[in-house]
Amino acid sequence: IIGAVDPAVVDQGIANSRQMIDNCYYEEYLAKPGNEKIAGKVLVRFQINGDGSVSKTSVKATSLRNENIENCLNREIHTFENLFLLLF
C-alpha cells in the first residue's frame, strides 16, 4: 500500500467486500465441468483516488492462471468505490 490512504481503511474495504471477491471464484468453480480444482493466488493492483473512487485495476501477478477469475476480480474491485467513499 503506497500513499496517503490508511492501510486499515483499505483492509476494511476489502474485508467488507469479501463476498464479492469469493463470488468470482465460485462462479468459475461451478462453470467448470466436473468442478475441477481451481487453486492459486492473484495479486491485483488498484488505485484509490483522493475522492475514494477506484481506478487502474490490473492483475500484477498470478499463479491461478484463470482469466475469467482474474477479469472478475478487476471488475469487482472497481465496485469497491462505494465502500471507500463511505470509509473516508
Side-chain angles (χ1 to χ4, degrees):
I1 298 173
I2 302 169
V5 177
D6 182 353
V9 170
V10 176
D11 290 343
Q12 184 63 48
I14 293 170
N16 289 348
S17 303
R18 183 61 192 231
Q19 184 64 44
M20 295 182 332
I21 293 169
D22 288 347
N23 283 343
C24 290
Y25 165 80
Y26 290 119
E27 287 175 15
E28 185 68 8
Y29 175 79
L30 294 173
K32 290 277 186 189
N35 293 331
E36 69 183 60
K37 184 177 179 181
I38 300 171
K41 294 182 181 181
V42 179
L43 175 63
V44 178
R45 182 179 192 160
F46 60 96
Q47 178 178 321
I48 303 171
N49 300 317
D51 64 357
S53 64
V54 175
S55 64
K56 298 183 182 180
T57 64
S58 64
V59 173
K60 182 79 172 163
T62 181
S63 62
L64 186 63
R65 298 187 191 347
N66 185 301
E67 190 173 337
N68 291 336
I69 294 174
E70 294 160 7
N71 289 337
C72 180
L73 290 171
N74 277 324
R75 282 191 311 273
E76 291 301 332
I77 288 170
H78 269 288
T79 69
F80 288 8
E81 176 176 328
N82 295 331
L83 292 168
F84 289 128
L85 289 172
L86 293 173
L87 293 173
F88 277 104

